[in-house]
Amino acid sequence: MTSKQPTPRIRKSSEQVRSAVHQAVIDLLSDPGGADLTIPAIAQRAGVNHTSIYRRWGSREALLADVVVARLERDWPLADTGTLRGDLIAWAEAGVVSIRKPEGRLLVRAVALSMPGSAQAHGERTQHFARRIHAIERIRERAAGRGENPPPLEQILDQLIAPLYLRAIFGIEPPATGYPELLVDRLLSNAGEPGTA
């Protein structure tokens, strides 16, 4: 399969640069030949100068984290259904749909590749993922405001998000029906128990 030719470099707006760089990351992650996912390779594919990437993101890890969070916000929205269980099921259902798609599985790979190798990279990655954590906290805050008892954030991460990511990493398809409900009901039945947070 012939790889795509790099886009000629032309002056782009800030949002155009972000969009082109994000797409370049996805394209390189999708390359069956195992394309080199370096800042220069990303810049060439996106048709931008590599210094623009360093200036905006600081590191490859921070860029990958930004790509992941942006795609999660687009493809894995946090619904407001009126109940904690409904919100969590809707979110888990979106997650199942996402990891069934090739791009969704690529994003899981990007999460692994964005693991920080330095204190600076750790700070950059944490800053990007803080947007997603804050969105999860909004689900908990809405539930508390309705008089519900939401589980701690750590339990949501461990019992709802982690199983989906592990399935994507190992290529194990979720059950055809009922998997989101299974995860959420298990999470809510264990909420607040010692050793589950």
Side-chain angles (χ1 to χ4, degrees):
M1 180 177 176
T2 305
S3 60
K4 294 167 72 173
Q5 293 297 315
T7 306
R9 289 179 184 164
I10 59 174
R11 185 174 295 278
K12 297 179 173 73
S13 69
S14 177
E15 191 50 43
Q16 286 174 325
V17 168
R18 184 172 185 255
S19 178
V21 170
H22 279 207
Q23 189 58 52
V25 169
I26 296 297
D27 290 345
L28 290 170
L29 284 170
S30 305
D31 192 324
D36 189 18
L37 193 66
T38 62
I39 295 293
I42 294 167
Q44 183 179 36
R45 178 64 65 98
V48 302
N49 195 298
H50 70 277
T51 58
S52 299
I53 295 179
Y54 283 114
R55 186 165 54 248
R56 179 162 185 161
W57 286 281
S59 69
R60 185 191 75 154
E61 292 76 17
L63 168 57
L64 288 170
D66 187 42
V67 171
V68 170
V69 172
R71 295 299 171 116
L72 287 176
E73 289 172 342
R74 185 194 74 181
D75 299 335
W76 201 339
L78 301 175
D80 185 355
T81 66
T83 68
L84 174 62
R85 183 175 183 274
D87 289 354
L88 293 175
I89 288 174
W91 187 34
E93 286 173 343
V96 168
V97 169
S98 177
I99 66 173
R100 286 187 189 279
K101 298 176 182 176
E103 185 174 298
R105 292 190 291 274
L106 290 175
L107 291 179
V108 174
R109 181 184 173 208
V111 169
L113 289 171
S114 72
M115 293 301 291
S118 66
Q120 178 182 344
H122 176 76
E124 292 166 346
R125 184 178 191 269
T126 299
Q127 182 178 4
H128 285 288
F129 277 98
R131 300 197 329 247
R132 196 61 178 173
I133 296 299
H134 179 68
I136 298 169
E137 288 286 15
R138 285 204 304 273
I139 286 182
R140 298 181 67 253
E141 290 167 4
R142 286 200 306 257
R146 292 189 295 257
E148 297 178 278
N149 184 30
L153 174 64
E154 290 80 5
Q155 272 185 267
I156 296 175
L157 296 175
D158 289 346
Q159 296 183 31
L160 188 56
I161 300 174
L164 293 173
Y165 272 77
L166 284 172
R167 283 181 175 272
I169 289 169
F170 291 106
I172 303 171
E173 285 281 328
T177 60
Y179 190 59
E181 292 85 353
L182 172 68
L183 290 179
V184 171
D185 289 340
R186 185 182 297 160
L187 166 67
L188 295 179
S189 69
N190 292 333
E193 289 187 6
T196 59

